[in-house]
Amino acid sequence: MRGQITGRLASLVKRSSKSAIEADGPDAALLADLRSALAPDRVKMDGAQRSLLGHDASVFGGGVAGPVCYPVDAAEVSAIMTIAEQHGRGIVPRGAGTGLAGGAIPLGAPVVIAVTKMNSILEVDTENRIAWVEPGVINLDLSKHLASYGFHFAPDPSSQQVCTIGGNVGNNSGGPHCLLYGVTNAHVVAMEVVLASGEIVTLGGLDAEPDGYDLRGAFVGSEGTLGITTKIAVRLTPNAPSVRTLLLAFSTVQAAANTVSAVIADGIVPAAMEVMDQRITIAVENYVNAGYPTDAAAVLLAEVEGLEGGTAIDADRIAELGRENGAVSVRVAATDEERALLWKGRKTAFGAVAQIAPDYYLHDTVVPRSKLAEVLDQIYEIADRHDVLVMNVFHAGDGNLHPLIVFDGRIEGTWDRVHAAGGEILQASLAAGGVLSGEHGIGVEKQQYMSAMFSDDDLDHQGRLRRAFDPACRANPGKVLPAGHSCADIAALRKVPSGVWG
Amino acid sequence: MTPSLAIDDPVLSTFAAEVGSNGPIAVAGGRTRWDHGGSLAADARIIEAPQGIVEYRPDEMTVTVRAGTSVEELHAELAEAGQRTALPERGGSVGGALMVGENGPFVAGRGLLRASLLQVRYVSADGALVTGGGPTVKNVSGFDIPRIMVGSLGTLGLVAEAIIRTNPVPATHRFIASSDVDPFAVPDVILRPGCITWDGSTTTVMLEGHEVDVDADAARLAELGSFADVDGLPELPAHRWSLPPSDVRLLGAKPNAPAVGAFVALVGVGTVYASNPQPQRSIDPTVRLISDRMKNQFDPTGRLNPGRSVLPFEPNKAGAA
C-alpha cells in the first residue's frame, strides 16, 4: 500500500480545491465574537483570503479556512483561542505559509491565526545573547537587524527571505549552516505561547537550566499542534571573523559523499557541506552562472567559519581530503563576492528548476552520512522506474537529502507517479537507518508514513506529549500523527458546520 | 518492518520485563544526584539499567549506548577516536546524567545536554519499550520525545538506551587565569570559549581549538588583562544556581547580591556553583498544569520514581513535600 496516496491525503493533493464560501452562514456567530474581540478589519471571512490560506507552499491543497484572524498581541490570541473553543472549532497558526509538508493547511475549517501583524523585534539583549522577537518577524530580516551587533540567527532555511521565526519554531527549521550550529531548537531559549485553551505561558527561560520538563524543547517542531508562539527569545550567534568557502567537483556522486564522511571522521565540523548533482548543477548554471563545473557528476560546497588561522587549516584539510577521495577540481573562493556567488548558486537551486518543468516536489529525508551514496543510487533508480526526473541538492553534512522531483502536472497520471516515487524514496531512506524528515516536518505529507518509522506504542506516547499541552486536540487538528491515533481523528474535523465545505 | 521499529535487543527486553507494569520502581545509576527532585518513596523497587556501548560511529558523530554505562567508560571509548559528548564528567551513568539533565562546566564548548540526545529508548509505566526521536543528527519526525526525557528524573519513563551526538575534541586546549580582567568583556573577544569562570576575583578561561586560534585568543585576552597559565578550573562548590547570564554581574561583594555564598560562576552561561543552595523558584501555574498533565499522561498511576518531581512541591498544592 505504501507509495500510494490514500485516504484524506488523496483529497488534499492539488487538483482542484475550489471551496464554496458562505460568510454569513453558520459561522455568523463565531465571526461576530471574533470581531468584537479584535478590530473588525482584522477578522477576514472573504473568499480570497480564505482561499489563499487554504493551502501553503506544499503540493497539497484542499484545506478550508474558517475565519482568518490577524491578532496583534498575546491577549488577542488568547481571546481567539477562547472563542474558538466556545464554538467548538480548531485553530491553525499561520506564518508565511512556506511550509512544504502541508502543516499550515487548515483542516475542518478552523480559525486561522495569522501572525503577520506581530512582526516586531522587541529587544536585542547582547549580554544574555538573545533577542525577543514576535513570531511574524522574517528570518532574514532578523539576521540583517542583528548584523550591526555582530550576531545572526543561525537557522537559514532556503525560504529565509520570506519565512517567519514563528514558522521556524513550528517546524524546527534547519538550513545549510545547521551542520555547525544546530537546528532551531538549539536557538530558542524561551517562548511566550498561548495554549489552545487560552492560557498564556512562558516556556523555557533565559537562565542556564530552567526548572522542570523541557516544555520549550517539546514545543519547538510541534507544527502548531501544541499552541501558538507570541514572543520568542532566540539565541544570538556571533558572526565569525573568518569564513572560507570551497567548491569541489567530483566525477561520481559517491566520491562527493565519501569526502563528506571523511571530513567528519577527520574531526572537522564545517559550517556547511552541501552537495548538488550534475542535473541541478546544470540547471543552476543556466540560471545564475555561478561558475559551477557542469561536467562534474557532483559538486560539494563546503564552508568553514571561525578564526583566521583555524579556518585556513580546515579549508586546506578539506581540499586535501577531497583530492584523496577523487576530487577533479577544488576551488577556494578568493573574495566575498566569489563566496556570495557560490552560495547564490546553491540558494537559487529551486528557482532554477522552474525552467525545466512547471512543477516540482521537494522531498526531505535524512540518512546516515555513510549511506548517502547508496540511497542516492536508489533514488535515481526509483525515479527512472516511475518515469519522473529527479535532481538532488542536499545538506550532505548532516545526511539530509532533498530529492527534487521535476514534472509537468498537467500530464494525466503524472501526480500518481510523483507520489509513488516519493513514497519509495521515503522507504529507502528508512531502510537505510534514516528518518522521515530532517527539516520540513510531517504535516499532512508524511502522516501515513509515521507508522513506518514508529511503533504504535511510540506514536501513542507522542500523542500523550501532545495532550499534555492540548487535551482537546484543537490546535492544528489532523496533523502529524496518523489516522487511528489520538488527535488524528477528532471531533473538530468532523463537526464542520454545513455550508463550509465546498 | 523497518530497522527502527524492531527492538530486538534481548538486553532491553529483559530490562523491560524487569520493570514490569506494576508497583513503584526506580533505576539507580551512580547515585551522584540520588536525592535530586525529592526522596524516593521507601517502597520503590530499585533496579539497574543495562550497560554497554552498542554502536559507535565516529563518522556519523553518534554513539548508541545503554543507560547504565558509566560516562567515564563512554568518554574513554570516544576519546580513542578523538570525540566527546555533552554529558558532564562527574561520575555516574549515562542514563542518570540524561535524567538529571545538568550540563557540565564546559557546556559553552561541548553544547547543551538537552540538545545532544537524538534518540531514546525507554520502558514506559506499563512496561512497554518505547522509542522517541531518531538515530540521525537531524530529525523532525513527529513529537520530540527526547526533549522531555532530558531532565525528567525518570518520572515519564525509565531510560534503557540512548543515541547521543558526539563532537570532535579540539586539537588543543589551555587554561589561563587573570585577577584584573573584566570577566564580562571576555565573551566579546573569544568566538567559541570552552569555559569562562569567575569567582568574584579571578577569571579563568579555557581556550580550545586549533593551536593557532588558541594563541590568537590568548593574545586578544592579554590586551584586556594580565593572564597566566593555570592547571584547570577552580574547585567548584557543591550547589548549583541557574541564573540568566546577565545576573552573574550581580554576584560578589555587592548590595542585594543573590546569597550564593562562595561561588564560581560560568560567565555567559548563568550556571553558578555556590556554597549555598538556590532558593526555590516560583513556578508559573500553567507550566505546572502542563507538567502535571505530562506526568499523568506518561505515568497515570505514579509508579515511576515516586517521591521525585521535576518541579518543587509547593505547600498549597496537592501532594506531600
Side-chain angles (χ1 to χ4, degrees), chain A residues 53-54 64-71 80 90-94 104 106 109-114:
Chain A
L53 299 188
V64 177
V68 182
C69 299
Y70 295 86
I80 295 166
I91 65 95
V92 58
R94 177 95 186 178
V111 176
V112 177
I113 304 178

Side-chain angles (χ1 to χ4, degrees), chain B residues 92-155:
Chain B
S93 66
V94 170
L98 289 170
M99 291 301 99
V100 171
E102 281 178 13
N103 295 298
F106 299 105
V107 59
R110 296 182 173 211
L112 293 164
L113 183 62
R114 72 185 186 200
S116 75
L117 181 62
L118 303 172
Q119 177 180 290
V120 60
R121 288 195 160 140
Y122 57 96
V123 182
S124 68
D126 51 7
L129 268 173
V130 177
T131 303
T136 56
V137 290
K138 200 173 182 186
N139 174 27
V140 292
S141 310
F143 292 95
D144 205 347
I145 298 278
R147 263 7 89 212
I148 54 162
M149 284 293 159
V150 177
S152 65
L153 296 176
T155 58

Side-chain angles (χ1 to χ4, degrees), chain A residues 317-341:
Chain A
R317 184 67 183 139
I318 291 170
E320 191 180 339
L321 289 166
R323 290 193 191 95
E324 282 174 17
N325 282 283
V328 291
S329 73
V330 177
R331 174 175 156 200
V332 182
T335 62
D336 284 350
E337 290 71 31
E338 191 178 359
R339 198 172 78 76
L341 191 60

Side-chain angles (χ1 to χ4, degrees), chain A residues 184-329:
Chain A
T184 299
N185 209 325
H187 299 278
V188 171
V189 302
M191 294 173 288
E192 177 187 80
V193 310
V194 183
L195 303 183
S197 43
E199 291 99 339
I200 302 170
V201 59
T202 298
L203 308 179
L206 304 192
D207 60 310
E209 289 171 9
D211 288 326
Y213 298 123
D214 184 9
L215 303 178
R216 170 216 64 87
F219 196 97
V220 177
S222 60
E223 304 191 39
T225 63
L226 303 185
I228 183 167
T229 57
T230 46
K231 229 162 64 168
I232 304 154
V234 297
R235 197 180 290 282
L236 309 185
T237 300
N239 295 340
S242 171
V243 181
R244 291 177 203 266
T245 308
L246 300 88
L247 188 74
L248 299 90
F250 296 88
S251 52
T252 64
V253 175
Q254 175 90 47
N258 289 347
T259 302
V260 169
S261 283
V263 168
I264 297 294
D266 201 60
I268 301 172
V269 183
M273 278 200 285
E274 302 285 301
V275 167
M276 300 168 70
D277 71 6
Q278 186 168 21
R279 289 171 182 170
I280 196 98
T281 303
I282 291 171
V284 164
E285 267 310 290
N286 289 339
Y287 190 58
V288 292
N289 228 326
Y292 288 8
T294 52
D295 56 347
V299 296
L300 166 62
L301 184 65
E303 185 160 274
V304 289
E305 293 188 8
L307 300 184
E308 193 67 26
T311 57
I313 293 169
D314 288 344
D316 284 351
R317 184 67 183 139
I318 291 170
E320 191 180 339
L321 289 166
R323 290 193 191 95
E324 282 174 17
N325 282 283
V328 291
S329 73

Side-chain angles (χ1 to χ4, degrees), chain B residues 9-21 25-28 45-51 66-68 121-124 127-129 157-161 303:
Chain B
D9 183 347
V11 174
L12 300 192
S13 306
T14 303
F15 178 59
E18 199 179 352
V19 172
S21 56
I25 188 158
V27 177
R45 185 161 54 95
I46 298 175
I47 61 172
E48 290 184 356
Q51 299 184 14
R66 296 196 189 108
R121 288 195 160 140
Y122 57 96
V123 182
S124 68
L129 268 173
L158 301 179
V159 60
E161 181 192 278
R303 68 179 291 246

Side-chain angles (χ1 to χ4, degrees), chain A residues 142-168:
Chain A
L142 175 58
S143 281
K144 282 180 178 166
H145 181 81
L146 296 174
S148 61
Y149 300 89
F151 294 97
H152 69 287
F153 179 61
D156 58 344
S158 292
S159 57
Q160 72 177 144
Q161 294 189 27
V162 284
C163 67
T164 62
I165 302 297
N168 294 165

